[in-house]
Amino acid sequence: MIPFVDLKAQYKLIEPEVKLAMDKVLENTNFILGQEVSLFEEEFAEFCQAKYCVGVASGTDALHLALRILNIGPGDEVITVANTFVATVLAISYVGAKPVLVDIDEKTFNMNLDLIERLITPKTKAIIPVHLYGRALDMNKILDIAKRYNLYVVEDACQGHGAWFNGKRVGSQGIIGCFSFYPGKNLGAYADGGAVVTSNQEIYEKLKMLRNYGSPKKYYHDFIGYNSRLDTMQAAVLRVKLKYLDNWNKQRWANAQIYNQKLNGIGDLILPQSSNKDGHVFHLYVIRTKQRDKLMDYLVKRNIQCGIHYPVPIYALKAYAGLGFKENDFPVTQELSKDILSLPMFPELSIDQIEEVVARIREFFS
Ligand SMILES: *Cc1c(COP(=O)(O)O)cnc(C)c1O
């Protein structure tokens, strides 16, 4: 069987270190906001080239708290992309703002930046660019639009840990960057977890309270906050894993190049292209084919796990039926949702495994 993501293969490589780190937390019993949390926050901020980091309970919470801290709420509009994980849009709904969706670009499968400006209204408060599949968006273009219309940029970097654009890490260029440490992410904990990074001191100070019941000091509450903290055990795991992240991302890139080379010219496949080595950390390796459903079925029957990211675009989700989106408004997302297929992708994926996947795909098309 070739898994979609092999968390165990990675665990086996770092098992002694992880066990030691977790044991230390058990010995200290400082489970909530223990020292490992603040140490991880410092290290992850530095990794992202941001001044500050605040650990929270999930990527969804990171996005939610980011919009709260910026005072975005009812009557406001927030622009994001039609093809993303639902959590990006849930965060907008949580604060009572209206999600406005941009169609995607046929080549990058990411937000089409040329379509943003026409969606801006006097109610627009923020743009949430999503570095989907691990591909860094052109942040210069987005920051330029945001500056001209006086909008906040909150980066959804939940799939982009470690990707660069123009010599800068994703997550550090908007006013706030949001990360998820869901186990399958490029930097994954062993439970839910998330983080917000920012270089704005005022936002940082407030976020630390917002994730902790709005409390500057135990039993004193300045505003209505949340219980949304990165737990100490997960911070300890993440500190071990962060040291390997750049290398793991390089291995993902190398695996993607091997896939690209070996899949080139087979059937009607369209392969992901990226000329910028640092700009794509291949959280997912996504191909296109008109025979997607049949190919997926063929691979799954031969014990090769694959996925679709995402089978139902945001505007077609039951949860968002009330927003009145029309699928004709998103022709590229609509078409791609029928064509895209994510193949097994993780740093430890072996050449033999890649060759097996490629052999089965070749077999399918012959
Ligand atoms: C995973 C993910 C999230 C949500 O993160 P959780 O930690 O699962 O809450 C948000 N946005 C994107 C693009 C994601 O991939």
Side-chain angles (χ1 to χ4, degrees), residues 60 67 78 80-82 84-101 312-327 330:
T60 307
L67 297 180
V78 177
T80 190
V81 61
T84 181
F85 182 57
V86 69
T88 318
V89 189
L90 290 177
I92 301 170
S93 304
Y94 292 161
V95 299
K98 183 183 163 199
V100 174
L101 305 177
V312 186
I314 302 296
Y315 54 83
L317 291 172
K318 240 185 185 172
Y320 283 109
L323 277 178
F325 292 122
K326 291 188 286 298
E327 63 179 47
F330 312 96

PDB file of all heavy atoms in Angstrom, residues 60 67 78 80-82 84-101 312-327 330:
ATOM      1  N   THR A  60      -7.735  26.950  11.968  1.00  0.00           N
ATOM      2  CA  THR A  60      -9.036  27.622  11.887  1.00  0.00           C
ATOM      3  C   THR A  60      -9.108  28.749  12.913  1.00  0.00           C
ATOM      4  O   THR A  60      -9.534  29.868  12.603  1.00  0.00           O
ATOM      5  CB  THR A  60     -10.174  26.606  12.155  1.00  0.00           C
ATOM      6  OG1 THR A  60      -9.998  25.491  11.276  1.00  0.00           O
ATOM      7  CG2 THR A  60     -11.532  27.220  11.936  1.00  0.00           C
ATOM      8  N   LEU A  67      -8.963  37.693  12.312  1.00  0.00           N
ATOM      9  CA  LEU A  67     -10.013  38.610  11.847  1.00  0.00           C
ATOM     10  C   LEU A  67     -10.638  39.367  13.018  1.00  0.00           C
ATOM     11  O   LEU A  67     -10.982  40.545  12.908  1.00  0.00           O
ATOM     12  CB  LEU A  67     -11.082  37.843  11.057  1.00  0.00           C
ATOM     13  CG  LEU A  67     -10.590  37.168   9.766  1.00  0.00           C
ATOM     14  CD1 LEU A  67     -11.731  36.447   9.059  1.00  0.00           C
ATOM     15  CD2 LEU A  67      -9.951  38.180   8.814  1.00  0.00           C
ATOM     16  N   VAL A  78     -14.849  40.271   3.171  1.00  0.00           N
ATOM     17  CA  VAL A  78     -13.474  39.773   3.135  1.00  0.00           C
ATOM     18  C   VAL A  78     -13.308  38.938   1.869  1.00  0.00           C
ATOM     19  O   VAL A  78     -14.110  38.033   1.611  1.00  0.00           O
ATOM     20  CB  VAL A  78     -13.143  38.921   4.381  1.00  0.00           C
ATOM     21  CG1 VAL A  78     -11.742  38.347   4.281  1.00  0.00           C
ATOM     22  CG2 VAL A  78     -13.303  39.751   5.653  1.00  0.00           C
ATOM     23  N   THR A  80     -11.528  36.223  -0.450  1.00  0.00           N
ATOM     24  CA  THR A  80     -10.612  35.080  -0.475  1.00  0.00           C
ATOM     25  C   THR A  80     -10.901  34.264  -1.729  1.00  0.00           C
ATOM     26  O   THR A  80     -11.572  34.741  -2.652  1.00  0.00           O
ATOM     27  CB  THR A  80     -10.667  34.260   0.830  1.00  0.00           C
ATOM     28  OG1 THR A  80      -9.589  33.319   0.826  1.00  0.00           O
ATOM     29  CG2 THR A  80     -11.983  33.505   0.988  1.00  0.00           C
ATOM     30  N   VAL A  81     -10.411  33.037  -1.769  1.00  0.00           N
ATOM     31  CA  VAL A  81     -10.410  32.295  -3.021  1.00  0.00           C
ATOM     32  C   VAL A  81     -11.458  31.168  -3.012  1.00  0.00           C
ATOM     33  O   VAL A  81     -11.750  30.585  -1.963  1.00  0.00           O
ATOM     34  CB  VAL A  81      -8.985  31.755  -3.290  1.00  0.00           C
ATOM     35  CG1 VAL A  81      -8.521  30.816  -2.195  1.00  0.00           C
ATOM     36  CG2 VAL A  81      -8.872  31.085  -4.646  1.00  0.00           C
ATOM     37  N   ALA A  82     -12.005  30.886  -4.191  1.00  0.00           N
ATOM     38  CA  ALA A  82     -13.077  29.889  -4.301  1.00  0.00           C
ATOM     39  C   ALA A  82     -12.571  28.469  -4.060  1.00  0.00           C
ATOM     40  O   ALA A  82     -13.319  27.605  -3.612  1.00  0.00           O
ATOM     41  CB  ALA A  82     -13.744  29.981  -5.670  1.00  0.00           C
ATOM     42  N   THR A  84     -10.335  26.570  -1.774  1.00  0.00           N
ATOM     43  CA  THR A  84      -9.526  26.502  -0.561  1.00  0.00           C
ATOM     44  C   THR A  84     -10.198  25.523   0.376  1.00  0.00           C
ATOM     45  O   THR A  84     -11.325  25.079   0.117  1.00  0.00           O
ATOM     46  CB  THR A  84      -9.377  27.881   0.119  1.00  0.00           C
ATOM     47  OG1 THR A  84      -8.545  27.741   1.297  1.00  0.00           O
ATOM     48  CG2 THR A  84     -10.716  28.460   0.565  1.00  0.00           C
ATOM     49  N   PHE A  85      -9.510  25.188   1.460  1.00  0.00           N
ATOM     50  CA  PHE A  85     -10.160  24.390   2.497  1.00  0.00           C
ATOM     51  C   PHE A  85     -11.205  25.278   3.175  1.00  0.00           C
ATOM     52  O   PHE A  85     -10.992  26.473   3.351  1.00  0.00           O
ATOM     53  CB  PHE A  85      -9.130  23.895   3.517  1.00  0.00           C
ATOM     54  CG  PHE A  85      -9.730  23.035   4.585  1.00  0.00           C
ATOM     55  CD1 PHE A  85     -10.441  21.888   4.259  1.00  0.00           C
ATOM     56  CD2 PHE A  85      -9.616  23.384   5.925  1.00  0.00           C
ATOM     57  CE1 PHE A  85     -11.021  21.100   5.243  1.00  0.00           C
ATOM     58  CE2 PHE A  85     -10.185  22.589   6.915  1.00  0.00           C
ATOM     59  CZ  PHE A  85     -10.897  21.451   6.577  1.00  0.00           C
ATOM     60  N   VAL A  86     -12.306  24.686   3.569  1.00  0.00           N
ATOM     61  CA  VAL A  86     -13.449  25.455   4.070  1.00  0.00           C
ATOM     62  C   VAL A  86     -13.098  26.386   5.239  1.00  0.00           C
ATOM     63  O   VAL A  86     -13.712  27.442   5.418  1.00  0.00           O
ATOM     64  CB  VAL A  86     -14.617  24.510   4.456  1.00  0.00           C
ATOM     65  CG1 VAL A  86     -14.264  23.675   5.683  1.00  0.00           C
ATOM     66  CG2 VAL A  86     -15.911  25.283   4.696  1.00  0.00           C
ATOM     67  N   ALA A  87     -12.074  26.017   6.020  1.00  0.00           N
ATOM     68  CA  ALA A  87     -11.748  26.784   7.225  1.00  0.00           C
ATOM     69  C   ALA A  87     -11.426  28.250   6.930  1.00  0.00           C
ATOM     70  O   ALA A  87     -11.723  29.130   7.747  1.00  0.00           O
ATOM     71  CB  ALA A  87     -10.577  26.135   7.962  1.00  0.00           C
ATOM     72  N   THR A  88     -10.823  28.519   5.775  1.00  0.00           N
ATOM     73  CA  THR A  88     -10.519  29.912   5.407  1.00  0.00           C
ATOM     74  C   THR A  88     -11.796  30.743   5.449  1.00  0.00           C
ATOM     75  O   THR A  88     -11.821  31.872   5.945  1.00  0.00           O
ATOM     76  CB  THR A  88      -9.952  29.974   3.968  1.00  0.00           C
ATOM     77  OG1 THR A  88      -9.027  28.921   3.760  1.00  0.00           O
ATOM     78  CG2 THR A  88      -9.297  31.317   3.701  1.00  0.00           C
ATOM     79  N   VAL A  89     -12.858  30.164   4.927  1.00  0.00           N
ATOM     80  CA  VAL A  89     -14.119  30.886   4.786  1.00  0.00           C
ATOM     81  C   VAL A  89     -14.925  30.824   6.086  1.00  0.00           C
ATOM     82  O   VAL A  89     -15.629  31.769   6.438  1.00  0.00           O
ATOM     83  CB  VAL A  89     -14.910  30.314   3.586  1.00  0.00           C
ATOM     84  CG1 VAL A  89     -16.119  31.174   3.279  1.00  0.00           C
ATOM     85  CG2 VAL A  89     -14.007  30.227   2.359  1.00  0.00           C
ATOM     86  N   LEU A  90     -14.797  29.718   6.810  1.00  0.00           N
ATOM     87  CA  LEU A  90     -15.479  29.621   8.113  1.00  0.00           C
ATOM     88  C   LEU A  90     -15.060  30.780   9.015  1.00  0.00           C
ATOM     89  O   LEU A  90     -15.890  31.374   9.706  1.00  0.00           O
ATOM     90  CB  LEU A  90     -15.127  28.292   8.811  1.00  0.00           C
ATOM     91  CG  LEU A  90     -15.694  27.003   8.212  1.00  0.00           C
ATOM     92  CD1 LEU A  90     -15.189  25.797   8.991  1.00  0.00           C
ATOM     93  CD2 LEU A  90     -17.211  27.028   8.173  1.00  0.00           C
ATOM     94  N   ALA A  91     -13.769  31.098   8.998  1.00  0.00           N
ATOM     95  CA  ALA A  91     -13.273  32.169   9.872  1.00  0.00           C
ATOM     96  C   ALA A  91     -13.973  33.491   9.567  1.00  0.00           C
ATOM     97  O   ALA A  91     -14.299  34.258  10.475  1.00  0.00           O
ATOM     98  CB  ALA A  91     -11.760  32.308   9.710  1.00  0.00           C
ATOM     99  N   ILE A  92     -14.214  33.729   8.275  1.00  0.00           N
ATOM    100  CA  ILE A  92     -14.910  34.961   7.874  1.00  0.00           C
ATOM    101  C   ILE A  92     -16.342  34.922   8.410  1.00  0.00           C
ATOM    102  O   ILE A  92     -16.856  35.918   8.936  1.00  0.00           O
ATOM    103  CB  ILE A  92     -14.899  35.104   6.327  1.00  0.00           C
ATOM    104  CG1 ILE A  92     -13.453  35.136   5.811  1.00  0.00           C
ATOM    105  CG2 ILE A  92     -15.670  36.354   5.897  1.00  0.00           C
ATOM    106  CD1 ILE A  92     -13.330  35.036   4.290  1.00  0.00           C
ATOM    107  N   SER A  93     -16.970  33.757   8.310  1.00  0.00           N
ATOM    108  CA  SER A  93     -18.345  33.615   8.816  1.00  0.00           C
ATOM    109  C   SER A  93     -18.403  33.779  10.329  1.00  0.00           C
ATOM    110  O   SER A  93     -19.346  34.374  10.851  1.00  0.00           O
ATOM    111  CB  SER A  93     -18.903  32.238   8.435  1.00  0.00           C
ATOM    112  OG  SER A  93     -18.827  32.051   7.050  1.00  0.00           O
ATOM    113  N   TYR A  94     -17.408  33.236  11.045  1.00  0.00           N
ATOM    114  CA  TYR A  94     -17.419  33.315  12.517  1.00  0.00           C
ATOM    115  C   TYR A  94     -17.521  34.754  13.014  1.00  0.00           C
ATOM    116  O   TYR A  94     -18.157  35.022  14.017  1.00  0.00           O
ATOM    117  CB  TYR A  94     -16.146  32.706  13.117  1.00  0.00           C
ATOM    118  CG  TYR A  94     -15.988  31.217  12.967  1.00  0.00           C
ATOM    119  CD1 TYR A  94     -14.725  30.635  13.101  1.00  0.00           C
ATOM    120  CD2 TYR A  94     -17.068  30.378  12.696  1.00  0.00           C
ATOM    121  CE1 TYR A  94     -14.548  29.264  12.964  1.00  0.00           C
ATOM    122  CE2 TYR A  94     -16.893  29.008  12.552  1.00  0.00           C
ATOM    123  CZ  TYR A  94     -15.636  28.458  12.685  1.00  0.00           C
ATOM    124  OH  TYR A  94     -15.451  27.113  12.543  1.00  0.00           O
ATOM    125  N   VAL A  95     -16.840  35.677  12.320  1.00  0.00           N
ATOM    126  CA  VAL A  95     -16.871  37.062  12.806  1.00  0.00           C
ATOM    127  C   VAL A  95     -18.065  37.836  12.245  1.00  0.00           C
ATOM    128  O   VAL A  95     -18.224  39.023  12.509  1.00  0.00           O
ATOM    129  CB  VAL A  95     -15.545  37.820  12.494  1.00  0.00           C
ATOM    130  CG1 VAL A  95     -14.369  37.146  13.186  1.00  0.00           C
ATOM    131  CG2 VAL A  95     -15.306  37.950  10.993  1.00  0.00           C
ATOM    132  N   GLY A  96     -18.880  37.157  11.423  1.00  0.00           N
ATOM    133  CA  GLY A  96     -20.102  37.798  10.913  1.00  0.00           C
ATOM    134  C   GLY A  96     -19.899  38.603   9.652  1.00  0.00           C
ATOM    135  O   GLY A  96     -20.804  39.304   9.200  1.00  0.00           O
ATOM    136  N   ALA A  97     -18.698  38.505   9.067  1.00  0.00           N
ATOM    137  CA  ALA A  97     -18.445  39.228   7.820  1.00  0.00           C
ATOM    138  C   ALA A  97     -18.888  38.382   6.628  1.00  0.00           C
ATOM    139  O   ALA A  97     -19.213  37.203   6.778  1.00  0.00           O
ATOM    140  CB  ALA A  97     -16.965  39.571   7.702  1.00  0.00           C
ATOM    141  N   LYS A  98     -18.891  39.002   5.441  1.00  0.00           N
ATOM    142  CA  LYS A  98     -19.343  38.291   4.253  1.00  0.00           C
ATOM    143  C   LYS A  98     -18.146  37.840   3.415  1.00  0.00           C
ATOM    144  O   LYS A  98     -17.314  38.655   3.025  1.00  0.00           O
ATOM    145  CB  LYS A  98     -20.241  39.226   3.425  1.00  0.00           C
ATOM    146  CG  LYS A  98     -20.816  38.557   2.198  1.00  0.00           C
ATOM    147  CD  LYS A  98     -21.637  39.544   1.376  1.00  0.00           C
ATOM    148  CE  LYS A  98     -21.834  38.981  -0.025  1.00  0.00           C
ATOM    149  NZ  LYS A  98     -22.211  39.996  -0.988  1.00  0.00           N
ATOM    150  N   PRO A  99     -18.070  36.524   3.132  1.00  0.00           N
ATOM    151  CA  PRO A  99     -16.986  36.057   2.263  1.00  0.00           C
ATOM    152  C   PRO A  99     -17.267  36.414   0.801  1.00  0.00           C
ATOM    153  O   PRO A  99     -18.384  36.221   0.319  1.00  0.00           O
ATOM    154  CB  PRO A  99     -16.998  34.531   2.443  1.00  0.00           C
ATOM    155  CG  PRO A  99     -18.142  34.194   3.331  1.00  0.00           C
ATOM    156  CD  PRO A  99     -18.938  35.437   3.593  1.00  0.00           C
ATOM    157  N   VAL A 100     -16.255  36.939   0.137  1.00  0.00           N
ATOM    158  CA  VAL A 100     -16.344  37.242  -1.295  1.00  0.00           C
ATOM    159  C   VAL A 100     -15.263  36.408  -1.968  1.00  0.00           C
ATOM    160  O   VAL A 100     -14.102  36.446  -1.553  1.00  0.00           O
ATOM    161  CB  VAL A 100     -16.115  38.751  -1.547  1.00  0.00           C
ATOM    162  CG1 VAL A 100     -16.061  39.055  -3.033  1.00  0.00           C
ATOM    163  CG2 VAL A 100     -17.214  39.566  -0.859  1.00  0.00           C
ATOM    164  N   LEU A 101     -15.650  35.627  -2.977  1.00  0.00           N
ATOM    165  CA  LEU A 101     -14.723  34.642  -3.525  1.00  0.00           C
ATOM    166  C   LEU A 101     -14.168  35.035  -4.890  1.00  0.00           C
ATOM    167  O   LEU A 101     -14.880  35.576  -5.735  1.00  0.00           O
ATOM    168  CB  LEU A 101     -15.413  33.281  -3.643  1.00  0.00           C
ATOM    169  CG  LEU A 101     -16.034  32.733  -2.355  1.00  0.00           C
ATOM    170  CD1 LEU A 101     -16.741  31.411  -2.631  1.00  0.00           C
ATOM    171  CD2 LEU A 101     -14.978  32.557  -1.269  1.00  0.00           C
ATOM    172  N   VAL A 312     -15.655  19.652  -3.679  1.00  0.00           N
ATOM    173  CA  VAL A 312     -16.778  20.603  -3.751  1.00  0.00           C
ATOM    174  C   VAL A 312     -16.243  21.994  -3.433  1.00  0.00           C
ATOM    175  O   VAL A 312     -15.816  22.263  -2.317  1.00  0.00           O
ATOM    176  CB  VAL A 312     -17.892  20.236  -2.745  1.00  0.00           C
ATOM    177  CG1 VAL A 312     -19.101  21.137  -2.948  1.00  0.00           C
ATOM    178  CG2 VAL A 312     -18.283  18.766  -2.871  1.00  0.00           C
ATOM    179  N   PRO A 313     -16.240  22.894  -4.414  1.00  0.00           N
ATOM    180  CA  PRO A 313     -15.751  24.253  -4.146  1.00  0.00           C
ATOM    181  C   PRO A 313     -16.631  24.954  -3.105  1.00  0.00           C
ATOM    182  O   PRO A 313     -17.797  24.578  -2.917  1.00  0.00           O
ATOM    183  CB  PRO A 313     -15.863  24.961  -5.497  1.00  0.00           C
ATOM    184  CG  PRO A 313     -15.980  23.859  -6.507  1.00  0.00           C
ATOM    185  CD  PRO A 313     -16.649  22.710  -5.812  1.00  0.00           C
ATOM    186  N   ILE A 314     -16.070  25.954  -2.464  1.00  0.00           N
ATOM    187  CA  ILE A 314     -16.765  26.648  -1.378  1.00  0.00           C
ATOM    188  C   ILE A 314     -18.192  27.067  -1.760  1.00  0.00           C
ATOM    189  O   ILE A 314     -19.143  26.823  -1.024  1.00  0.00           O
ATOM    190  CB  ILE A 314     -15.976  27.922  -0.943  1.00  0.00           C
ATOM    191  CG1 ILE A 314     -14.562  27.560  -0.491  1.00  0.00           C
ATOM    192  CG2 ILE A 314     -16.739  28.700   0.112  1.00  0.00           C
ATOM    193  CD1 ILE A 314     -14.461  26.698   0.732  1.00  0.00           C
ATOM    194  N   TYR A 315     -18.324  27.679  -2.960  1.00  0.00           N
ATOM    195  CA  TYR A 315     -19.639  28.233  -3.344  1.00  0.00           C
ATOM    196  C   TYR A 315     -20.682  27.141  -3.551  1.00  0.00           C
ATOM    197  O   TYR A 315     -21.871  27.407  -3.571  1.00  0.00           O
ATOM    198  CB  TYR A 315     -19.501  29.081  -4.625  1.00  0.00           C
ATOM    199  CG  TYR A 315     -18.850  28.342  -5.761  1.00  0.00           C
ATOM    200  CD1 TYR A 315     -19.570  27.491  -6.587  1.00  0.00           C
ATOM    201  CD2 TYR A 315     -17.480  28.470  -5.983  1.00  0.00           C
ATOM    202  CE1 TYR A 315     -18.970  26.789  -7.605  1.00  0.00           C
ATOM    203  CE2 TYR A 315     -16.862  27.766  -6.995  1.00  0.00           C
ATOM    204  CZ  TYR A 315     -17.611  26.922  -7.802  1.00  0.00           C
ATOM    205  OH  TYR A 315     -16.985  26.217  -8.794  1.00  0.00           O
ATOM    206  N   ALA A 316     -20.233  25.881  -3.706  1.00  0.00           N
ATOM    207  CA  ALA A 316     -21.191  24.794  -3.934  1.00  0.00           C
ATOM    208  C   ALA A 316     -21.452  23.982  -2.658  1.00  0.00           C
ATOM    209  O   ALA A 316     -22.221  23.026  -2.674  1.00  0.00           O
ATOM    210  CB  ALA A 316     -20.674  23.885  -5.042  1.00  0.00           C
ATOM    211  N   LEU A 317     -20.811  24.363  -1.561  1.00  0.00           N
ATOM    212  CA  LEU A 317     -21.024  23.645  -0.303  1.00  0.00           C
ATOM    213  C   LEU A 317     -22.423  23.955   0.240  1.00  0.00           C
ATOM    214  O   LEU A 317     -22.877  25.100   0.165  1.00  0.00           O
ATOM    215  CB  LEU A 317     -19.978  24.062   0.746  1.00  0.00           C
ATOM    216  CG  LEU A 317     -18.539  23.623   0.490  1.00  0.00           C
ATOM    217  CD1 LEU A 317     -17.605  24.282   1.504  1.00  0.00           C
ATOM    218  CD2 LEU A 317     -18.404  22.106   0.554  1.00  0.00           C
ATOM    219  N   LYS A 318     -23.033  22.944   0.822  1.00  0.00           N
ATOM    220  CA  LYS A 318     -24.349  23.133   1.443  1.00  0.00           C
ATOM    221  C   LYS A 318     -24.305  24.277   2.454  1.00  0.00           C
ATOM    222  O   LYS A 318     -25.216  25.089   2.531  1.00  0.00           O
ATOM    223  CB  LYS A 318     -24.722  21.845   2.175  1.00  0.00           C
ATOM    224  CG  LYS A 318     -25.982  21.170   1.694  1.00  0.00           C
ATOM    225  CD  LYS A 318     -26.238  19.993   2.621  1.00  0.00           C
ATOM    226  CE  LYS A 318     -27.386  19.141   2.216  1.00  0.00           C
ATOM    227  NZ  LYS A 318     -27.456  17.934   3.052  1.00  0.00           N
ATOM    228  N   ALA A 319     -23.233  24.310   3.225  1.00  0.00           N
ATOM    229  CA  ALA A 319     -23.105  25.305   4.293  1.00  0.00           C
ATOM    230  C   ALA A 319     -23.172  26.731   3.745  1.00  0.00           C
ATOM    231  O   ALA A 319     -23.553  27.656   4.460  1.00  0.00           O
ATOM    232  CB  ALA A 319     -21.791  25.099   5.055  1.00  0.00           C
ATOM    233  N   TYR A 320     -22.781  26.905   2.477  1.00  0.00           N
ATOM    234  CA  TYR A 320     -22.759  28.257   1.913  1.00  0.00           C
ATOM    235  C   TYR A 320     -23.837  28.484   0.859  1.00  0.00           C
ATOM    236  O   TYR A 320     -23.766  29.433   0.074  1.00  0.00           O
ATOM    237  CB  TYR A 320     -21.352  28.589   1.401  1.00  0.00           C
ATOM    238  CG  TYR A 320     -20.459  28.926   2.583  1.00  0.00           C
ATOM    239  CD1 TYR A 320     -19.440  28.078   3.001  1.00  0.00           C
ATOM    240  CD2 TYR A 320     -20.711  30.068   3.326  1.00  0.00           C
ATOM    241  CE1 TYR A 320     -18.675  28.373   4.125  1.00  0.00           C
ATOM    242  CE2 TYR A 320     -19.957  30.372   4.441  1.00  0.00           C
ATOM    243  CZ  TYR A 320     -18.947  29.525   4.843  1.00  0.00           C
ATOM    244  OH  TYR A 320     -18.215  29.823   5.948  1.00  0.00           O
ATOM    245  N   ALA A 321     -24.840  27.612   0.874  1.00  0.00           N
ATOM    246  CA  ALA A 321     -25.928  27.742  -0.095  1.00  0.00           C
ATOM    247  C   ALA A 321     -26.621  29.095   0.053  1.00  0.00           C
ATOM    248  O   ALA A 321     -27.072  29.689  -0.920  1.00  0.00           O
ATOM    249  CB  ALA A 321     -26.926  26.615   0.083  1.00  0.00           C
ATOM    250  N   GLY A 322     -26.649  29.609   1.286  1.00  0.00           N
ATOM    251  CA  GLY A 322     -27.352  30.862   1.559  1.00  0.00           C
ATOM    252  C   GLY A 322     -26.676  32.102   0.992  1.00  0.00           C
ATOM    253  O   GLY A 322     -27.276  33.167   0.943  1.00  0.00           O
ATOM    254  N   LEU A 323     -25.433  31.987   0.555  1.00  0.00           N
ATOM    255  CA  LEU A 323     -24.714  33.182   0.109  1.00  0.00           C
ATOM    256  C   LEU A 323     -25.036  33.582  -1.332  1.00  0.00           C
ATOM    257  O   LEU A 323     -24.646  34.652  -1.786  1.00  0.00           O
ATOM    258  CB  LEU A 323     -23.206  32.979   0.265  1.00  0.00           C
ATOM    259  CG  LEU A 323     -22.700  33.269   1.680  1.00  0.00           C
ATOM    260  CD1 LEU A 323     -21.213  32.986   1.758  1.00  0.00           C
ATOM    261  CD2 LEU A 323     -22.960  34.723   2.073  1.00  0.00           C
ATOM    262  N   GLY A 324     -25.736  32.693  -2.030  1.00  0.00           N
ATOM    263  CA  GLY A 324     -26.192  33.036  -3.378  1.00  0.00           C
ATOM    264  C   GLY A 324     -25.105  33.087  -4.427  1.00  0.00           C
ATOM    265  O   GLY A 324     -25.240  33.773  -5.446  1.00  0.00           O
ATOM    266  N   PHE A 325     -24.021  32.347  -4.224  1.00  0.00           N
ATOM    267  CA  PHE A 325     -22.993  32.273  -5.271  1.00  0.00           C
ATOM    268  C   PHE A 325     -23.537  31.469  -6.447  1.00  0.00           C
ATOM    269  O   PHE A 325     -24.315  30.545  -6.268  1.00  0.00           O
ATOM    270  CB  PHE A 325     -21.749  31.532  -4.744  1.00  0.00           C
ATOM    271  CG  PHE A 325     -21.003  32.254  -3.682  1.00  0.00           C
ATOM    272  CD1 PHE A 325     -20.796  31.670  -2.436  1.00  0.00           C
ATOM    273  CD2 PHE A 325     -20.465  33.522  -3.912  1.00  0.00           C
ATOM    274  CE1 PHE A 325     -20.091  32.320  -1.441  1.00  0.00           C
ATOM    275  CE2 PHE A 325     -19.760  34.177  -2.922  1.00  0.00           C
ATOM    276  CZ  PHE A 325     -19.570  33.576  -1.689  1.00  0.00           C
ATOM    277  N   LYS A 326     -23.094  31.814  -7.660  1.00  0.00           N
ATOM    278  CA  LYS A 326     -23.451  31.014  -8.829  1.00  0.00           C
ATOM    279  C   LYS A 326     -22.189  30.364  -9.381  1.00  0.00           C
ATOM    280  O   LYS A 326     -21.140  31.008  -9.451  1.00  0.00           O
ATOM    281  CB  LYS A 326     -24.081  31.910  -9.901  1.00  0.00           C
ATOM    282  CG  LYS A 326     -25.447  32.412  -9.480  1.00  0.00           C
ATOM    283  CD  LYS A 326     -26.168  33.145 -10.594  1.00  0.00           C
ATOM    284  CE  LYS A 326     -25.662  34.523 -10.900  1.00  0.00           C
ATOM    285  NZ  LYS A 326     -25.711  35.553  -9.912  1.00  0.00           N
ATOM    286  N   GLU A 327     -22.290  29.073  -9.747  1.00  0.00           N
ATOM    287  CA  GLU A 327     -21.072  28.390 -10.192  1.00  0.00           C
ATOM    288  C   GLU A 327     -20.519  29.003 -11.474  1.00  0.00           C
ATOM    289  O   GLU A 327     -19.330  28.922 -11.735  1.00  0.00           O
ATOM    290  CB  GLU A 327     -21.275  26.876 -10.309  1.00  0.00           C
ATOM    291  CG  GLU A 327     -22.292  26.456 -11.338  1.00  0.00           C
ATOM    292  CD  GLU A 327     -22.402  24.923 -11.410  1.00  0.00           C
ATOM    293  OE1 GLU A 327     -22.504  24.297 -10.347  1.00  0.00           O
ATOM    294  OE2 GLU A 327     -22.375  24.394 -12.518  1.00  0.00           O
ATOM    295  N   PHE A 330     -17.460  31.173 -11.286  1.00  0.00           N
ATOM    296  CA  PHE A 330     -16.129  30.611 -11.014  1.00  0.00           C
ATOM    297  C   PHE A 330     -15.797  29.511 -12.026  1.00  0.00           C
ATOM    298  O   PHE A 330     -15.627  28.345 -11.657  1.00  0.00           O
ATOM    299  CB  PHE A 330     -16.082  30.049  -9.582  1.00  0.00           C
ATOM    300  CG  PHE A 330     -16.621  31.008  -8.551  1.00  0.00           C
ATOM    301  CD1 PHE A 330     -17.937  30.916  -8.114  1.00  0.00           C
ATOM    302  CD2 PHE A 330     -15.817  32.019  -8.039  1.00  0.00           C
ATOM    303  CE1 PHE A 330     -18.438  31.814  -7.179  1.00  0.00           C
ATOM    304  CE2 PHE A 330     -16.317  32.916  -7.104  1.00  0.00           C
ATOM    305  CZ  PHE A 330     -17.632  32.812  -6.673  1.00  0.00           C
TER     306      PHE A 330
END
